[in-house]
Amino acid sequence: MRTGMGKDSVMHKATSYNYPLQPGQANTVMAYTGKKVEYDLYVTGTMVNFTGKHRHAIAINGQIPAPILEFTEGGTAIIRVHNLMKMETSIHWHGILLPNKEDGVPYLTTSPVEPGETYTFTFPLIQSGTYWYHSHTMLQEQSGLYGSIVIHPAEKEPELKEYVLLLSDWTDENPHQVLRYLKRGGEWYAIKKGALQSYGEAIAAGYLKDKLKQEWQRMPAMDVSDVYYNKFLMNGQEKNYFKDAKPGEVIRLRIINGSASSYFNLQYANNYMRVIAADGINVTPISVNKLEIATAETYDVLITVPETGAAELRATSWDVTGYSSAYFGNGLVMNAPDIPRLNYFKMMREMGSMNMSGMDMKGMDMINMDGMNMGNIQGMDMAMPGEFNYNMLRSLHPTTLDSSLKPRKVKLTLTGNMLRYVWSFDYKTLSVADKILIRKGERVRFVLLNNTMMRHPMHLHGHFFRFINAQGNYSPLKHTFDIKPMETVIIEFVANEQQDWLFHCHNLYHMMSGMARIVSYEGSEQNEFAKTCYKKLKKEDNALYPWYDLSVHSQGAWLSGNISNNKNALEFEGRATWKGNFETETHLLRYLDKQQYLAFYVGYDYRKNKTLPLFDKPNSKDNRQVFDAGFYYLLPLLIRSEWRVDNTGRLRLQLERRDLPLSNNFFFDWRVNTDKEYAVGFRYMVSKSFSISTNYDSDYKWGAGLTWHY
Ligand SMILES: [Cu+2]
């Protein structure tokens, strides 16, 4: 059933979150009586050209971003989503308080919108502010399925000219290929971003000790972002001109971070920005000269148009690989300052010093990696005056919860495996995790510890929560927040909903790799998807990803292939000389420990080296057909050890290190085993898919040629 409102929905929350705010306070009855505002959204495939190359994308009503949906608090939204594509889609209304079945998470709250079908969303508008909407299906959001929502308050606000600025990131690659490349652990994105942190660069910059220490702890090079983006956009453009902004005029900007996985720093060339709302809710105004916006957050700010000329508002991606701009006014342009490139080695050293605290997965505070200052750890606020941080966010009214309600504490650790690109809570991805159970009427408190090296923009559907900060009783209400490495964040809310809601990292690639949970109201009537255990939704993060490297060299060919999901992998290695000798090893492995350093495998070896000296001996190291079993264990310095025994009782220990970065683009591999076989290889990466390579193999000798990476 897709039409009509359940009787529960009629009693839905009516608290205006801008003005008398108290999460979970008694709700006044709110029927669907207000002004009905209707929209028709047509979802289609489209072609775009952001970089000089034509690429597939997804548009709504032919636009990227999708149209701005404007409403007034107290009304009713009626939005018909028409799916004109050949694949299913969905739309989630981010930050909007609405009945569960209108939340738009396919296979959790709402049916997906099937190809050729229309789904009509109907919900009362019980809040005001700046929000947005996006697809919650696979990686469609990265392809352009996002738009802004503006809900004007029922009570009139001072009339100000206002503009919506929707920030996003764009890659020319197919987003599924991006995720596969992240799973593969390929180096090209880091090379493009200047974030590889090779040994050569470490030595030149005096950071060899830090680099060794990092690899000793089995950590790959740290980075602040995963994906290399071709463009960063604002309202679908790199540059936006608002020439109707009058000299000296104060204007309101509704800024939304609708990116798939980027944080931005906002700077304005003409004086400061005055933050008046966060995540749609008005806050005590604060003046800042730099405003950081995490993925999926929104901020409303006031700025002043210069008396003469135009001033730039610039949104620089946090990895400082690009920016987009808005210009307000006419004439000579005043530019916002450039943000210096990141000093990754300095960040690495800071991280190393935090390791002394003996934490599990080592992290660091990365808020000020531009080298301006360190700090901004919650409760240790040493930011330069004027630079935004969360402790400045102060609610207009006390937000404390009714202490007579029964408390419920939920502790979650944010975990991840950067080497295998598996993201999780408590080392469990959504596909294997239990639901987080809460009960209606409880005072729910989430205690979150980020045990990863990255920041995560966390989002809870269908609720606003208190984000506990230095403002105490006036801690702000939010629906999305950033959590830094090693940081602990506490959020709390009154459980005043029903059914199931998603809680997840809003970095699209982290979510799709498992960093999500279902928050479920115990005892609440279950919807159709709960009855089938959300089978489809829970499959998503455990997909199989294939990749391989094929080297074609003067003496022979090497193929190294892999198909893996979260816990299992099928690995194949084949070597063949042009003289007809060949060796293959095939392993089916399963990771055993939560860190995924240890894996057990069974496999099969087939070798036929006719021209090597020991060919006449069957089941020698050069001529064998054997089954084998063993363990892989990742040693410090990212050395992979392999301990195995085959069905003839033969033992072998092998050590291997692949892709050791000597300089930007230049990599070194080595391998040695107790059969007295050894190999070394070098490759110079010329593109995402190709390297010029050379290797020496104790059996197959020197050769050089090309390597193809898929
Ligand atoms: Cu994340």
Side-chain angles (χ1 to χ4, degrees):
M1 287 293 287
R2 290 184 177 182
T3 50
M5 303 301 305
K7 62 176 188 291
D8 290 323
S9 328
V10 181
M11 284 293 293
H12 211 73
K13 278 185 297 303
T15 316
S16 163
Y17 276 80
N18 274 332
Y19 305 115
L21 34 100
Q22 164 76 313
Q25 78 181 40
N27 299 330
T28 46
V29 177
M30 165 104 175
Y32 291 72
T33 50
K35 193 180 157 215
K36 285 187 179 133
V37 180
E38 304 190 24
Y39 283 98
D40 281 286
L41 303 180
Y42 296 90
V43 185
T44 59
T46 189
M47 294 299 285
V48 294
N49 186 344
F50 290 117
T51 62
K53 289 173 183 160
H54 291 275
R55 287 292 183 267
H56 285 283
I58 306 176
I60 289 184
N61 299 359
Q63 304 175 214
I64 296 175
I68 300 172
L69 306 184
E70 243 180 302
F71 303 101
T72 301
E73 183 187 8
T76 295
I78 298 170
I79 307 165
R80 288 174 290 269
V81 176
H82 309 273
N83 182 4
L84 305 182
M85 301 189 296
K86 289 194 174 70
M87 57 182 163
E88 64 181 56
T89 191
S90 61
I91 300 287
H92 162 63
W93 318 97
H94 187 99
I96 306 292
L97 298 166
L98 37 58
N100 185 269
K101 73 180 185 61
E102 308 297 322
D103 195 46
V105 180
Y107 307 109
L108 179 69
T109 65
T110 314
S111 295
V113 191
E114 301 289 351
E117 300 273 301
T118 296
Y119 186 98
T120 304
F121 290 88
T122 309
F123 49 88
L125 299 151
I126 60 171
Q127 67 201 107
S128 63
T130 304
Y131 303 93
W132 64 297
Y133 61 103
H134 60 83
S135 170
H136 225 293
T137 298
M138 303 305 283
L139 297 154
Q140 290 177 357
E141 185 194 311
Q142 180 78 86
S143 299
L145 263 196
Y146 46 83
S148 313
I149 297 174
V150 174
I151 309 175
H152 299 286
E155 278 175 62
K156 265 229 160 8
E157 282 184 317
E159 285 266 321
L160 284 178
K161 193 177 283 172
E162 60 176 61
Y163 303 96
V164 174
L165 303 179
L166 174 52
L167 309 174
S168 63
D169 42 25
W170 173 260
T171 168
D172 268 346
E173 288 181 58
N174 177 326
H176 294 275
Q177 296 302 323
V178 171
L179 182 53
R180 191 182 63 77
Y181 199 68
L182 295 171
K183 290 279 180 185
R184 181 194 206 286
E187 300 88 0
W188 191 246
Y189 295 155
I191 291 172
K192 292 289 278 184
K193 290 189 291 180
L196 190 72
Q197 300 153 61
S198 69
Y199 272 92
E201 293 162 297
I203 291 165
Y207 286 92
L208 177 62
K209 237 180 99 181
D210 303 88
K211 178 76 187 167
L212 283 168
K213 188 174 163 191
Q214 182 187 46
E215 291 212 335
W216 185 260
Q217 287 156 343
R218 303 174 176 95
M219 284 196 290
M222 58 149 325
D223 204 350
V224 301
S225 63
D226 297 333
V227 180
Y228 170 74
Y229 284 106
N230 298 94
K231 291 288 175 201
F232 295 99
L233 305 171
M234 185 188 282
N235 299 349
Q237 318 256 344
E238 279 190 282
K239 291 178 193 300
N240 295 266
Y241 298 92
F242 298 101
K243 295 195 168 170
D244 58 330
K246 301 270 178 321
E249 188 181 19
V250 174
I251 55 177
R252 176 188 191 141
L253 305 179
R254 297 177 179 271
I255 303 169
I256 301 157
N257 185 346
S259 71
S261 72
S262 302
Y263 285 30
F264 296 98
N265 270 305
L266 296 154
Q267 288 183 292
Y268 182 51
N270 186 42
N271 219 332
Y272 53 79
M273 297 168 278
R274 198 148 170 84
V275 178
I276 56 166
D279 282 359
I281 295 184
N282 294 344
V283 293
T284 305
I286 42 170
S287 297
V288 298
N289 60 19
K290 197 173 180 186
L291 173 62
E292 185 183 61
I293 180 167
T295 307
E297 286 186 316
T298 76
Y299 288 99
D300 290 28
V301 305
L302 302 181
I303 57 167
T304 308
V305 181
E307 293 293 346
T308 57
E312 180 190 21
L313 180 105
R314 186 185 292 187
T316 308
S317 72
W318 196 51
D319 59 11
V320 204
T321 57
Y323 61 82
S324 59
S325 306
Y327 299 91
F328 299 95
N330 281 291
L332 204 62
V333 169
M334 217 188 308
N335 282 312
D338 289 329
I339 293 178
R341 298 300 298 247
L342 299 180
N343 183 341
Y344 286 97
F345 288 120
K346 197 163 163 244
M347 288 157 53
M348 183 172 77
R349 180 168 288 172
E350 298 294 345
M351 180 174 61
S353 67
M354 278 185 76
N355 292 348
M356 307 304 271
S357 63
M359 307 298 285
D360 180 15
M361 184 84 174
K362 288 79 184 171
M364 62 179 304
D365 173 50
M366 297 192 286
I367 191 158
N368 273 311
M369 283 317 137
D370 48 11
M372 296 281 289
N373 59 13
M374 288 295 297
N376 279 352
I377 299 172
Q378 243 188 316
M380 197 186 103
D381 183 12
M382 309 187 305
M384 310 254 290
E387 206 165 299
F388 175 81
N389 71 61
Y390 276 162
N391 280 329
M392 296 174 169
L393 281 181
R394 182 178 175 87
S395 168
L396 291 176
H397 311 277
T399 54
T400 44
L401 305 182
D402 182 351
S403 59
S404 68
L405 296 173
K406 205 172 154 234
R408 161 90 66 173
K409 195 172 161 186
V410 177
K411 200 172 170 292
L412 282 177
T413 304
L414 283 66
T415 47
N417 183 326
M418 280 296 280
L419 293 165
R420 301 196 65 247
Y421 208 79
V422 177
W423 295 99
S424 51
F425 294 107
D426 299 331
Y427 294 101
K428 280 187 173 170
T429 58
L430 178 66
S431 56
V432 294
D434 294 328
K435 294 194 269 191
I436 296 169
L437 295 177
I438 60 174
R439 277 186 170 275
K440 192 157 185 147
E442 284 177 337
R443 187 158 42 94
V444 183
R445 177 177 266 242
F446 278 33
V447 180
L448 299 139
L449 166 66
N450 182 359
N451 214 359
T452 77
M453 293 195 294
M454 294 200 83
R455 300 171 72 169
H456 302 278
M458 303 305 306
H459 173 51
L460 175 62
H461 285 226
H463 299 73
F464 275 87
F465 44 77
R466 298 184 75 220
F467 177 86
I468 311 279
N469 70 357
Q471 304 292 345
N473 292 348
Y474 287 81
S475 290
L477 295 179
K478 289 186 106 288
H479 52 65
T480 305
F481 63 93
D482 164 58
I483 180 166
K484 299 181 191 77
M486 287 299 112
E487 193 181 38
T488 296
V489 167
I490 298 171
I491 63 169
E492 60 177 22
F493 58 95
V494 172
N496 55 6
E497 271 297 339
Q498 54 181 0
Q499 298 185 314
D500 294 356
W501 302 87
L502 203 60
F503 175 67
H504 65 98
C505 176
H506 219 285
N507 177 317
L508 188 57
Y509 299 95
H510 292 183
M511 181 184 78
M512 289 297 290
S513 304
M515 205 175 220
R517 279 288 189 281
I518 296 164
V519 176
S520 179
Y521 280 77
E522 235 181 318
S524 164
E525 202 196 319
Q526 299 281 290
N527 66 20
E528 55 178 301
F529 308 107
K531 285 168 191 156
T532 55
C533 298
Y534 317 102
K535 262 193 194 134
K536 201 115 184 204
L537 179 76
K538 291 187 82 172
K539 260 189 197 157
E540 262 176 13
D541 69 64
N542 200 26
L544 283 169
Y545 294 90
W547 61 83
Y548 60 79
D549 299 293
L550 174 65
S551 301
V552 179
H553 285 183
S554 50
Q555 85 279 43
W558 277 255
L559 175 68
S560 164
N562 186 308
I563 302 172
S564 65
N565 62 11
N566 286 341
K567 281 257 166 79
N568 309 295
L570 179 68
E571 294 187 356
F572 173 82
E573 273 200 29
R575 303 178 271 276
T577 65
W578 305 129
K579 294 173 189 159
N581 292 344
F582 70 85
E583 304 181 348
T584 70
E585 294 188 23
T586 309
H587 292 163
L588 183 62
L589 57 115
R590 182 168 177 83
Y591 288 90
L592 299 175
D593 62 325
K594 59 184 188 178
Q595 305 265 24
Q596 303 201 324
Y597 294 156
L598 180 68
F600 170 77
Y601 74 83
V602 291
Y604 180 68
D605 268 27
Y606 185 19
R607 294 185 172 201
K608 214 168 181 176
N609 288 295
K610 293 178 293 227
T611 67
L612 295 184
L614 292 171
F615 180 66
D616 37 1
K617 275 196 190 167
N619 286 333
S620 67
K621 78 176 181 64
D622 294 321
N623 180 26
R624 67 186 182 215
Q625 292 184 49
V626 292
F627 291 97
D628 59 355
F631 288 93
Y632 282 112
Y633 185 68
L634 187 72
L635 296 171
L637 298 173
L638 302 172
I639 294 167
R640 194 188 205 199
S641 66
E642 182 193 327
W643 309 71
R644 62 175 242 173
V645 60
D646 67 28
N647 62 333
T648 67
R650 193 186 175 91
L651 299 167
R652 189 184 82 179
L653 166 63
Q654 180 165 284
L655 301 176
E656 177 177 44
R657 170 70 204 265
R658 282 199 201 176
D659 304 320
L660 187 138
L662 295 173
S663 76
N664 209 22
N665 296 52
F666 195 49
F667 297 90
F668 173 50
D669 300 331
W670 61 263
R671 167 193 282 185
V672 61
N673 66 31
T674 52
D675 284 350
K676 298 201 177 79
E677 294 168 323
Y678 59 93
V680 291
F682 295 90
R683 66 187 173 90
Y684 184 84
M685 211 167 174
V686 292
S687 72
K688 192 182 164 209
S689 304
F690 285 100
S691 292
I692 298 164
S693 49
T694 177
N695 73 334
Y696 180 84
D697 182 295
S698 54
D699 290 338
Y700 293 2
K701 309 306 174 193
W702 275 113
L706 274 182
T707 299
W708 177 29
H709 311 292
Y710 171 77

